[in-house]
Amino acid sequence: MRMKKKAMIAMSGGVDSSVSAALMQEAGYDCIGVTMKLYQNEDAGIERGKTCCAVSDVLDAEQAAFRLGMPHYVFNFTEDFRRQVMEPFVETYEAGGTPNPCIDCNRYMKFEKLYQRAQLLDCDILVTGHYARVSYDEERGRWLLKKGKDAAKDQSYALYSLTQEQLAHIRFPLGEMESKEAVRKIAEAHGFRNARKQDSQDICFVPDGEYASFIARFRGKEPVGGPFLDKEGHVLGQHRGIVHYTIGQRRGLGIPSAERLYVCEKDPRTNTVILGRDEDLYKKELLAEDFNWIAMEEPKEPVSVQAMIRYRAKEVPAVASVNPDGTVRILFETAVRAPARGQAVVLYDGDIVIGGGRIC
């Protein structure tokens, strides 16, 4: 009979997941470290050594696991990642939306594929280096997802798709940490060589931020250009393909104008990009689909919430109500700037995540 509980630690090679492994081991868990190989860098036209799938990152994860005396494995999920993250990323841009692949990676890779692998290996819990917290609320009879204590690093927004079953078997040790510097000091104390490793700020498979170039490589063809239109339908110029633009974008339009112009809408059916003024970007309501309720069952009546429409955005008071088809209407107290189809809207009650869905 096994005495210790067993934990699988998702180790990306970064300092956060390495310290998470150390904290779980210190808490008395029997730990194994695993690293997901999500794609071949060359397949995305990226030099080896530039992303979280690089050989150097695997070596950093292995070194941390070695220092802790725990086994380390590498799982190849490249086909799943291409199908469930990269392909939807491209399709959303082509359909005129703005995707968030980190949310899809969390949902389908970390907390679906890796979660299933943890169960197969008889692990009690799956651990990641996210800055968020999980707790059980006796009164509600539900597991809750909460913001991390360090507001500057909180990642609860990207975790809104977690289910009650998953939350019961997931731990985020860094959720209680007060600062990133405290995390780095723990890493230094353990002799991890990634203790001062720079945080990744970009999408892992598009580290240069050139989304349109990635899409062109992925599809094997260049995007087709079309007209820029104003709100009245007048042609203002020619764009380079709708995948080059995001809602709210001002720079790089190449349109001479006496006033500042912004991307307000993209229509893939007509291959047009509609430009307008800053005030045209503000919306009082939006619709969300594929909604996941965490802190409560799907409400029968409208509920007052704080809503966040993009990562790091300021929360805005709003009222959420569920439509007969399961979509959720969010009515804001004050208009929000540039909500983008394909991004997530996440609802909060203080530091508790009520739920979230995809803006449609």
Side-chain angles (χ1 to χ4, degrees), residues 14-137:
V15 64
D16 292 333
S17 55
S18 297
V19 170
S20 295
L23 293 175
M24 294 305 295
Q25 191 178 69
E26 290 171 5
Y29 284 84
D30 178 16
C31 301
I32 63 171
V34 301
T35 300
M36 296 184 294
K37 182 168 181 58
L38 300 177
Y39 62 92
Q40 301 289 346
N41 286 1
E42 292 82 0
D43 290 345
I46 301 167
E47 293 180 26
R48 186 172 295 279
K50 291 286 181 76
T51 77
C52 66
C53 291
V55 171
S56 60
D57 291 314
V58 176
L59 294 176
D60 286 345
E62 287 180 343
Q63 189 264 350
F66 177 79
R67 293 286 298 181
L68 295 170
M70 68 174 62
H72 176 265
Y73 306 97
V74 178
F75 297 151
N76 189 335
F77 292 153
T78 53
E79 288 303 316
D80 297 283
F81 187 77
R82 181 182 179 89
R83 176 172 52 86
Q84 294 185 291
V85 180
M86 297 172 81
E87 185 75 35
F89 174 86
V90 172
E91 290 175 347
T92 300
Y93 261 119
E94 291 175 336
T98 304
N100 193 323
C102 295
I103 288 177
D104 286 341
C105 185
N106 284 331
R107 181 175 185 176
Y108 298 114
M109 297 296 104
K110 293 184 180 74
F111 301 114
E112 184 173 295
K113 293 295 295 184
L114 201 57
Y115 179 74
Q116 292 169 357
R117 192 65 59 91
Q119 292 177 311
L120 289 173
L121 293 177
D122 198 29
C123 292
D124 298 286
I125 59 172
L126 173 64
V127 178
T128 73
H130 287 99
Y131 287 80
R133 292 176 291 162
V134 176
S135 66
Y136 186 75
D137 188 304

